[in-house]
Amino acid sequence: MRWSERVQHWLRGLLGGGTAGGRRIPTRLEYAATPVEDSVVVPISAAAQPNIAFRRNAVFAAFNTAVPVSDRHGLAGRKQELTRLIDAVVKQRKHALIFGARGSGKTSLARVFGDLADEAGCVALYGSASEGADVDGLFRPFLDELPLQRGIAATIPADRPIGVQQLANLFVQGVNQRTLLIIDEFDRVATERTRHEVATLLKLLTDMHSTVQIILVGIAGNVDGLLAAHPSLRRHLFAQQVAPIDREELAGLLRLCAQQAGLAFEEEALQSIVSAAIGSPYHARLFGMHAALIAEAEGRDRITISDAQKGLAEALAEWSELTPDVFGVFERALGQAGSLRGMIALAGVLAAHAPVLTFERMAAAGTDLFGDELGGSAAVDRTIGLIAPALSEDGMPGELQFADSLSPQFLVLIANGAARTRATPLARETLDARALLQGVGL
């Protein structure tokens, strides 16, 4: 039994019998090399063809990976998370942490939640943490938008940082409407002092019955990875992990994207992309977009399994060009892994589910899958050593994360052979330049 089949069987067991709705592990795809004769050359005189820019723009718009979802109807598989956030934050007046892997939809969830909170009578304001930010840097950008009582703004010092107690007093005494401050990318705050001060601020606001609540959003595998909160604060915190999306929800998202682009997936193609995304809406949209572009370029409105395979390879090639160092680490590690190839792929699968990798987590999963010899302690040590240049230890001691948090799905793609199957490039230099540039706004 190959490593991918072992992983798939193991995860089905964890989910209770392997129902079709189970999520988690990409099925191994048998990538076939693309014959040279399959490449398409479009003559520059092909004036009868539909508008190229219009068709491609429709795909880009439908599978948009560049910005978070802001429409609740485009937020796939998160109804339960939204309900829990509304109950905890809006109704119970708790602060909240939203955490999970990159690409899992944390920002989209936070933004849609903010819109719903607005409808419930709250003022929801958004900000983003910057690397090295202190408490003043995190909260000062909100001051211009806060619903402050008249005259309060003049009392805010402009020439010196605002401290925790000053912020608490300002939020309690000066804000005259229920307000939610949503701080995205909080994981970029690296200093323990700032994290401790933010935790202190949350506790003060609760104790002082402030109308201001704070929602922190960031990449983490657990609460302590985002905010090391004192036990007395945890009573007033709600933690919402953003886990991988169920396969059926992810398939529904891709069907909707394709429909908006005027396309449709064949079922085998759809399931291959769902499998490769490992529960990540970002990766599903990215892989789906590349597959759709291949179908669109060939003038078809149905996305086939061949399009899906080529699309996965194109997405991998695009990512490898942006992150050549990480790609090189993965290729070298897999090339040197021998019988541990499955363990390296397993590291990608586990990190796609929750960003934090630990020795114990790897050993437990590896032993279940491959036995003591290929999945036990020695195998985990060797596996971590092979991929170590791609890992970081920024969180709690003993917790590892992929430095490029979008990379686990690509690691599994490489292990599955996608790197060998990039589609033969279309002869785009022969396309009508005017058509390609329509709508660009030059």
Side-chain angles (χ1 to χ4, degrees):
M1 186 181 290
R2 291 180 301 199
W3 69 262
S4 59
E5 294 167 336
R6 287 176 182 267
V7 175
Q8 198 171 16
H9 178 76
W10 173 72
L11 288 169
R12 279 200 297 266
L14 286 185
L15 293 169
T19 60
R23 61 175 184 257
R24 309 306 197 192
I25 174 67
T27 305
R28 179 179 176 86
L29 299 178
E30 298 299 336
Y31 292 93
T34 305
V36 174
E37 56 267 27
D38 283 353
S39 62
V40 177
V41 177
V42 181
I44 198 166
S45 61
Q49 293 292 321
N51 186 292
I52 296 168
F54 176 81
R55 294 197 314 260
R56 294 179 68 79
N57 287 346
V59 172
F60 291 135
F63 290 88
N64 193 349
T65 61
V67 296
V69 171
S70 57
D71 178 3
R72 71 196 67 174
H73 302 294
L75 188 66
R78 297 302 183 200
K79 181 178 179 180
Q80 182 179 10
E81 287 89 341
L82 279 173
T83 300
R84 295 179 68 196
L85 281 166
I86 291 292
D87 286 345
V89 178
V90 177
K91 298 180 181 178
Q92 300 177 50
R93 295 177 175 260
K94 292 184 175 183
H95 304 293
L97 307 177
I98 300 174
F99 65 94
R102 188 177 296 280
S104 58
K106 300 179 302 299
T107 299
S108 296
L109 176 65
R111 287 192 172 275
V112 173
F113 162 71
D115 288 346
L116 293 175
D118 270 331
E119 293 176 10
C122 301
V123 175
L125 303 177
Y126 302 90
S128 183
S130 59
E131 190 171 351
D134 58 10
V135 167
D136 180 82
L138 287 173
F139 291 98
R140 187 178 286 274
F142 290 112
L143 300 184
D144 290 338
E145 298 181 82
L146 277 174
L148 295 173
Q149 296 181 26
R150 182 172 298 181
I152 291 292
T155 68
I156 301 171
D159 57 347
R160 62 183 185 275
I162 308 172
V164 171
Q165 188 65 56
Q166 288 176 295
L167 279 170
N169 293 338
L170 172 66
F171 291 161
V172 172
Q173 300 169 13
V175 177
N176 57 19
Q177 188 174 349
R178 183 90 179 274
T179 303
L180 308 180
L181 305 182
I182 302 172
I183 303 179
D184 201 0
E185 299 190 68
F186 188 72
D187 54 282
R188 297 177 67 184
V189 176
T191 64
E192 285 300 317
R193 176 178 177 178
T194 301
R195 291 181 184 232
H196 175 76
E197 289 180 343
V198 171
T200 301
L201 177 61
L202 267 60
K203 181 67 165 59
L204 285 171
L205 294 178
T206 299
D207 292 344
M208 298 166 72
H209 302 284
S210 174
T211 58
V212 175
Q213 292 163 261
I214 297 172
I215 294 89
L216 305 176
V217 185
I219 301 168
N222 51 48
V223 172
D224 287 336
L226 200 60
L227 185 73
H230 190 274
S232 64
L233 173 60
R234 291 178 187 264
R235 299 195 304 271
H236 311 292
L237 275 175
F238 172 72
Q240 179 59 67
Q241 182 174 10
V242 183
I245 292 181
D246 179 89
R247 286 185 66 97
E248 282 306 309
E249 296 283 0
L250 213 53
L253 171 64
L254 285 169
R255 290 190 187 101
L256 177 62
C257 291
Q259 181 182 3
Q260 291 173 343
L263 302 169
F265 280 99
E266 292 184 354
E267 189 61 23
E268 189 179 7
L270 179 73
Q271 292 304 324
S272 70
I273 292 174
V274 166
S275 186
I278 320 182
S280 164
Y282 168 81
H283 289 87
R285 287 176 178 271
L286 178 68
F287 299 158
M289 179 189 73
H290 280 283
L293 287 172
I294 289 170
E296 174 276 323
E298 296 186 2
R300 291 182 279 103
D301 60 7
R302 293 190 67 79
I303 303 167
T304 66
I305 183 61
S306 176
D307 299 329
Q309 292 173 346
K310 293 174 184 176
L312 291 173
E314 288 291 330
L316 174 58
E318 179 182 273
W319 172 80
S320 70
E321 290 165 0
L322 291 171
T323 56
D325 292 344
V326 180
F327 178 73
V329 169
F330 289 168
E331 282 210 313
R332 287 192 297 274
L334 288 164
Q336 298 169 19
S339 60
L340 295 180
R341 188 179 180 89
M343 283 294 290
I344 290 178
L346 176 62
V349 173
L350 294 177
H353 295 161
V356 172
L357 285 174
T358 64
F359 179 92
E360 293 78 14
R361 188 177 173 217
M362 282 282 293
T367 302
D368 278 354
L369 277 167
F370 306 115
D372 289 333
E373 184 177 350
L374 295 180
S377 299
V380 173
D381 281 338
R382 172 68 173 152
T383 299
I384 291 176
L386 286 168
I387 61 174
L391 301 175
S392 67
E393 198 173 6
D394 294 335
M396 304 293 288
E399 294 184 349
L400 299 169
Q401 299 184 41
F402 281 91
D404 173 10
S405 54
L406 293 176
S407 67
Q409 280 83 350
F410 293 106
L411 172 57
V412 180
L413 280 183
I414 298 169
N416 264 331
R420 299 191 297 270
T421 322
R422 188 175 185 184
T424 303
L426 299 177
R428 291 194 176 97
E429 67 274 11
T430 64
L431 296 174
D432 188 335
R434 294 189 195 89
L436 284 172
L437 292 174
Q438 284 186 22
V440 173
L442 296 178

